[in-house]
Amino acid sequence: MRIFLVTFLLVAMLSPVTAFAKDFGNGVTLSEETAISSILDAPADYVGKKVKVSGLVIDVCSTRGCWIYLAGDRDFEKIRIKVTDGEIVFPMEARGKVAIVEGVVESMVLTREEVIKRRKHHAEEKGIDFDPASVTSGETVLRIRGLGASIDGV
Amino acid sequence: MSWRRWNYLLHRDIGFLCIGLTLIYAISGVAVNHIQQWNPSYSVERVETNIGPVVGNPADAATALMILARLGEPGKLESSYRPDRNSLQLFVEGRSITVDLPSGHVVHDRAIPRPVLREMNFLHLNHPKKAWTWFADLYAVALAFLAISGLFMLRRKTLRRGLVLTGIGVVIPVFFLILYL
């Protein structure tokens, strides 16, 4: 009985936390990697396609961990990785770590009102000010619908 | 031994086994229910300060180290990113330090894991997946057993009250389904 209890407790405590901490969702299966700059330069070539990208995690959704921003391979560029709430939850510790992400490229055409709503929500999450007047028109947003990821050191 | 005795013994012992997980799921459940208002796993601190204009090549590691020195930041620089020509974002041990180079305005974001609660949410939301999924399923089956076996522990003098309370417990979710669905 004692051996059973000790074994049970060890399995329960150790297996979930230490063994599976680095992979998220379906993990990463594609072999070929696509540069984020290639997607940003020619989005039409990639929309609807499954890609594998990698980059530095520069921001994480601070409420649900439901998105991350990956830095591009060129200066000043980034791309948003959105995942289904609850299916994948990125930890805040991912900031500053390199992530490999697999997902489908999406393009969304947003009206001005939708842009305001999104930015207002983002500003509330970040605790920063937002002036709706700063948005003058709608925009097209390019993002990756994340299906799996692998992040070292989290 | 009669089936009533078996039912009582199993209800009691499985109930003991479920206490720990039930507390985890209950506490985490309340925390996660209010996810619109707060982050149940981390508290995020945001501190703003000014270190004066930063002169130097933002792509140069020496510039990043100079910024950390001005901030009195003892942590090790892990990585950096340039959001635009005038800004530099530094990552130090899970923290994000964003500097507006011309003005020296610094935004220091720090995510502090909520002790115990983060681990409870980790399990409750099934972030481990794999082996934990099966264990959580087993726990759900155990809870269902406790609910059903509890019904067979009713004695004659508490039968009426037990059935009324059980009925209320079934009607409440149905009421909310009618109200919101």
Side-chain angles (χ1 to χ4, degrees):
Chain A
M1 184 67 179
R2 191 176 294 168
I3 292 170
F4 167 76
L5 278 175
V6 169
T7 309
F8 173 79
L9 286 173
L10 279 175
V11 169
M13 287 192 303
L14 297 179
S15 63
V17 179
T18 54
F20 313 117
K22 288 199 291 191
D23 284 341
F24 299 85
N26 300 336
V28 178
T29 55
L30 292 177
S31 55
E32 191 182 340
E33 187 171 317
T34 304
I36 290 172
S37 58
S38 301
I39 299 170
L40 297 176
D41 285 345
D45 293 348
Y46 294 96
V47 170
K49 290 182 181 162
K50 195 172 173 184
V51 295
K52 180 174 95 170
V53 295
S54 70
L56 187 70
V57 179
I58 55 173
D59 204 359
V60 179
C61 170
S62 60
T63 50
R64 301 179 187 208
C66 64
W67 54 257
I68 55 174
Y69 270 107
L70 284 192
D73 44 299
R74 294 188 302 225
D75 276 347
F76 320 134
E77 288 186 346
K78 63 183 178 181
I79 195 162
R80 191 177 197 228
I81 314 292
K82 177 73 180 89
V83 294
T84 305
D85 284 13
E87 277 187 20
I88 295 177
V89 179
F90 292 113
M92 295 294 289
E93 289 91 343
R95 287 190 305 189
K97 307 286 193 302
V98 173
I100 303 170
V101 177
E102 198 168 278
V104 177
V105 179
E106 292 179 336
S107 174
M108 299 190 306
V109 180
L110 303 178
T111 63
R112 178 174 176 269
E113 288 69 32
E114 287 170 330
V115 175
I116 289 172
K117 191 178 170 187
R118 280 167 62 98
R119 291 196 185 165
K120 188 180 172 198
H121 176 66
H122 185 71
E124 283 170 358
E125 275 185 355
K126 303 291 290 179
I128 55 178
D129 295 331
F130 168 67
D131 178 13
S134 64
V135 181
T136 55
S137 63
E139 62 185 31
T140 301
V141 174
L142 196 66
R143 70 179 189 183
I144 294 174
R145 167 65 61 180
L147 303 172
S150 179
I151 306 176
D152 274 336
V154 293
Chain B
M1 201 159 43
S2 71
W3 71 268
R4 279 192 178 276
R5 183 72 185 150
W6 271 111
N7 188 58
Y8 168 78
L9 290 176
L10 286 171
H11 185 91
R12 183 194 65 189
D13 289 352
I14 292 174
F16 285 144
L17 276 173
C18 286
I19 287 173
L21 267 179
T22 303
L23 286 174
I24 287 174
Y25 276 64
I27 294 166
S28 169
V30 173
V32 172
N33 258 354
H34 299 275
I35 202 163
Q36 298 286 358
Q37 287 90 40
W38 77 325
N39 183 325
S41 299
Y42 299 90
S43 65
V44 181
E45 278 182 3
R46 183 184 170 90
V47 178
E48 297 187 32
T49 185
N50 196 300
I51 56 170
V54 177
V55 181
N57 181 2
D60 195 343
T63 306
L65 293 174
M66 178 187 69
I67 291 168
L68 295 183
R70 282 198 203 174
L71 283 167
E73 170 60 62
K76 187 185 167 197
L77 177 69
E78 292 175 341
S79 49
S80 65
Y81 169 69
R82 295 181 66 192
D84 54 59
R85 292 191 181 282
N86 290 328
S87 307
L88 184 61
Q89 190 178 6
L90 307 175
F91 298 96
V92 178
E93 295 169 5
R95 284 169 280 139
S96 165
I97 300 166
T98 307
V99 188
D100 181 67
L101 301 169
S103 68
H105 181 251
V106 176
V107 177
H108 198 146
D109 271 332
R110 185 178 175 206
I112 307 159
R114 298 185 193 278
V116 184
L117 202 51
R118 178 177 174 264
E119 287 73 19
M120 286 182 171
N121 296 334
F122 183 78
L123 294 175
H124 178 197
L125 298 174
N126 192 17
H127 293 169
K129 306 270 194 266
K130 301 188 179 177
W132 180 254
T133 305
W134 296 104
F135 190 75
D137 285 350
L138 197 63
Y139 168 65
V141 171
L143 277 187
F145 172 79
L146 288 177
I148 293 163
S149 61
L151 285 175
F152 291 100
M153 293 170 73
L154 291 171
R155 290 168 190 268
R156 192 161 291 173
K157 66 177 181 182
T158 55
L159 182 65
R160 187 186 168 93
R161 189 174 63 181
L163 290 176
V164 168
L165 290 174
T166 304
I168 290 172
V170 172
V171 165
I172 287 173
V174 173
F175 168 75
F176 280 100
L177 278 174
I178 293 167
L179 192 66
Y180 295 123
L181 196 64

